[in-house]
Amino acid sequence: MALRETILAADRRIGEGIKWNAPSFRTSEDFATFHLRARDKVQLILHFGAKKRADVAGVTIDDPESLLTWLAPDRATVTFRDADEVRQRSAAMTAILRQWIERV
């Protein structure tokens, strides 16, 4: 899967597993989980760990391609139509992931 490959290539510290019944990714904390209910798109939930964190309020992530849809101060989604769009936006997604995991 193109998005999985992009995530794993963003940083050598990234590991993967199943959390919340979905493929998830972590460094020191969980930071990304696939949203599997979306049938017509690929969606990833980015978060700052498994538990809600007040210390991330006001965190900014540089997102020049507007990939992030913020759901809360500690959570955002990224949505792609298909694998081709993932590949086209891979550099932007990698930049977001690198910023995100530095704040986890």
Side-chain angles (χ1 to χ4, degrees), residues 48-99:
F48 293 106
K51 296 181 180 176
K52 197 170 208 169
R53 289 179 40 191
D55 65 325
V56 296
V59 166
T60 58
I61 302 290
D62 186 37
D63 180 19
E65 292 191 27
S66 299
L67 295 179
L68 296 173
T69 300
W70 288 91
L71 304 172
D74 63 343
R75 191 175 48 230
T77 61
V78 181
T79 304
F80 299 99
R81 288 183 307 274
D82 53 31
D84 286 337
E85 184 180 9
V86 172
R87 284 188 281 276
Q88 291 168 1
R89 295 180 168 223
S90 179
M93 187 69 220
T94 297
I96 287 170
L97 290 166
R98 288 179 178 161
Q99 294 173 75

Side-chain angles (χ1 to χ4, degrees), residues 11-78:
D11 190 295
R12 63 178 175 75
R13 298 173 292 170
I14 296 172
E16 63 183 319
I18 302 295
K19 187 146 184 131
W20 303 292
N21 296 318
S24 296
F25 302 88
R26 66 177 291 119
T27 54
S28 59
E29 290 278 345
D30 294 294
F31 70 87
T33 304
F34 276 102
H35 183 268
L36 300 177
R37 293 185 184 135
R39 302 235 184 256
D40 59 342
K41 57 193 164 214
V42 178
Q43 195 168 40
L44 186 70
I45 310 289
L46 295 173
H47 45 83
F48 293 106
K51 296 181 180 176
K52 197 170 208 169
R53 289 179 40 191
D55 65 325
V56 296
V59 166
T60 58
I61 302 290
D62 186 37
D63 180 19
E65 292 191 27
S66 299
L67 295 179
L68 296 173
T69 300
W70 288 91
L71 304 172
D74 63 343
R75 191 175 48 230
T77 61
V78 181

